[in-house]
Amino acid sequence: MKPCILITGGSSGIGKNIALELSKEYSLIFISRDISKIQKVVATLHSPNEHFIFECDLLDFDKLTETMREISEKFKIQAFIHSAGVSYVSYAKNFDFNEMIDCAKINLYSAMLIVKFLLKKNLKPYLKDIIFISSTFSKKGEIANSFYASTKGGLDAYMKSLSLELAPNIKVNSILPGGIFETGMTKNLFDEEQKQQILKKYPLGEGKTQDIAQGVKFILDCRWISGQQIIIDGGYSV
Ligand SMILES: NC(=O)c1ccc[n+]([C@@H]2O[C@H](COP(=O)([O-])OP(=O)(O)OC[C@H]3O[C@@H](n4cnc5c(N)ncnc54)[C@H](OP(=O)(O)O)[C@@H]3O)[C@@H](O)[C@H]2O)c1
């Protein structure tokens, strides 16, 4: 069997393209809340029969614990990629506590719970990489995105300490994408005129989900990189 990569958020956008990029070399284990959607993605991958789906909503921590138990009995996971995420666009004065908790559970706490499982005695020896899909908003302020940014900032702070805890055998890194306009999260946010205005701030022009997937592949292939927030944003943050 090919080496196994556990991935969240594989049903759509950036995660879907990461899956496509990695499906030739790896067997992918998907945690997804929408079985029919993820089945359609798997059908488009290299060697569809070598990938496996586990149904779980990341908001349901009891189910996630049960799912991780099942996965850990069946697979030796070599890498974990957390691409699942939701945005939370709100001015600070309008924050809704329940919505904030849901956003933090998906973007941050579910990743921590999954990692906790992967560090169990019987699984840890197989684990080589942890990669979080964070955001440039983790480093750069953005009006009406402060809560989303804080979940990504939390993810990056967790990543850095974790990289020290888990060295030298496990690399832990984040990728901070700039705006990718073709995903479920972003495709209805802006009209064409607004999009072209925003793209003026991107020296390398428009980024695609493949650009982020290539970053993931780069980290997996690179032996000597850990604890890093790798910005892939076409030069936007410069
Ligand atoms: N697009 C951008 O401009 C951009 C920029 C910076 C960072 N990011 C980050 O990139 C990652 C991927 O986002 P995207 O842009 O590709 O958006 P997307 O197309 O909406 O993908 C989000 C993924 O998260 C999954 N997800 C959401 N809530 C979930 C839940 N409760 N349980 C299980 N899975 C859940 C979705 O599953 P379903 O298909 O079932 O909804 C989907 O697979 C996110 O972490 C996002 O914060 C995106």
Side-chain angles (χ1 to χ4, degrees), residues 65-203:
T65 303
E66 195 186 299
T67 302
M68 284 309 298
R69 204 166 283 136
E70 207 184 328
I71 290 173
S72 60
E73 277 164 14
K74 293 187 174 147
F75 302 100
K76 297 172 172 59
I77 303 295
Q78 181 170 312
F80 166 49
I81 301 165
H82 185 58
S83 188
V86 288
S87 65
Y88 186 60
V89 181
S90 170
Y91 291 108
K93 64 178 180 181
N94 297 330
F95 279 176
D96 176 279
F97 186 68
N98 290 324
E99 289 172 0
M100 291 160 74
I101 293 293
D102 281 358
C103 177
K105 280 174 96 171
I106 297 164
N107 292 6
L108 177 60
Y109 301 139
S110 65
M112 292 173 166
L113 201 140
I114 291 170
V115 168
K116 181 183 160 168
F117 242 94
L118 296 176
L119 297 180
K120 285 187 186 295
K121 248 197 342 252
N122 56 331
L123 294 181
K124 193 177 172 190
Y126 303 100
L127 190 63
K128 300 280 169 254
D129 272 278
I130 297 171
I131 302 174
F132 300 129
I133 305 302
S134 174
S135 166
T136 46
F137 290 0
S138 163
K139 280 179 101 74
K140 184 186 172 302
E142 185 74 20
I143 289 168
N145 277 279
S146 60
F147 188 73
Y148 172 76
S150 72
T151 65
K152 297 298 189 178
L155 196 58
D156 287 352
Y158 169 59
M159 175 278 293
K160 285 184 196 173
S161 294
L162 198 61
S163 73
L164 297 178
E165 265 183 51
L166 302 185
N169 295 324
I170 303 169
K171 290 141 58 196
V172 191
N173 292 284
S174 296
I175 290 183
L176 283 56
I180 307 285
F181 293 95
E182 60 189 0
T183 75
M185 186 179 280
T186 50
K187 67 180 178 219
N188 297 320
L189 276 184
F190 308 105
D191 62 30
E192 191 51 34
E193 199 183 325
Q194 290 169 319
K195 182 177 145 182
Q196 292 311 323
Q197 275 303 63
I198 295 169
L199 283 176
K200 287 182 183 162
K201 298 179 191 162
Y202 284 76

